[in-house]
Amino acid sequence: QMKYEYEVFAPGTPFEHRIACTSDKPLIMSAFGHLIQLFKESPYIGGQGSVGNGELDLGCLSVPSECNPQVYLDYLESEKDNLKKTWEEMRM
């Protein structure tokens, strides 16, 4: 039998956070906006998220207008073939 322990924070424990992207490049800012969007869709940190542990309230977190995720998604779509080729060449 494998025994293990883990610790959790009590529901409602406040966390202070700061997330920043200081780039002036539109593609990087857009990728950052996409990252924030994905984090809001799955707002969990740590393990045991499937049983409700680690869920964060990100209601106040917003994506700034200069971080429009669509710019990054359009780039990925336009470069899809080149990106696939690059990853295939990296396989060992």
Side-chain angles (χ1 to χ4, degrees):
Q1 177 179 355
M2 187 170 105
K3 295 182 181 184
Y4 64 93
E5 293 181 15
Y6 68 95
E7 295 181 24
V8 297
F9 289 96
T13 301
F15 284 90
E16 183 176 325
H17 63 277
R18 185 172 307 189
I19 302 171
C21 181
T22 58
S23 177
D24 60 350
K25 297 183 171 142
L27 187 58
I28 291 175
M29 294 297 290
S30 177
F32 180 73
H34 185 59
L35 173 141
I36 297 297
Q37 192 175 50
L38 291 174
F39 189 37
K40 287 183 77 168
E41 290 172 12
S42 183
Y44 294 90
I45 58 172
Q48 302 280 324
S50 62
V51 295
N53 292 337
E55 184 175 9
L56 302 175
D57 177 9
L58 300 178
C60 63
L61 186 61
S62 62
V63 178
S65 60
E66 65 270 13
C67 297
N68 178 5
Q70 195 58 47
V71 173
Y72 177 66
L73 296 174
D74 291 345
Y75 168 78
L76 290 179
E77 184 61 35
S78 70
E79 294 295 318
K80 179 172 44 177
D81 294 333
N82 290 336
L83 293 168
K84 279 183 179 179
K85 182 180 175 187
T86 300
W87 281 103
E88 287 171 358
E89 289 172 357
M90 291 174 55
R91 287 186 190 169
M92 295 184 167

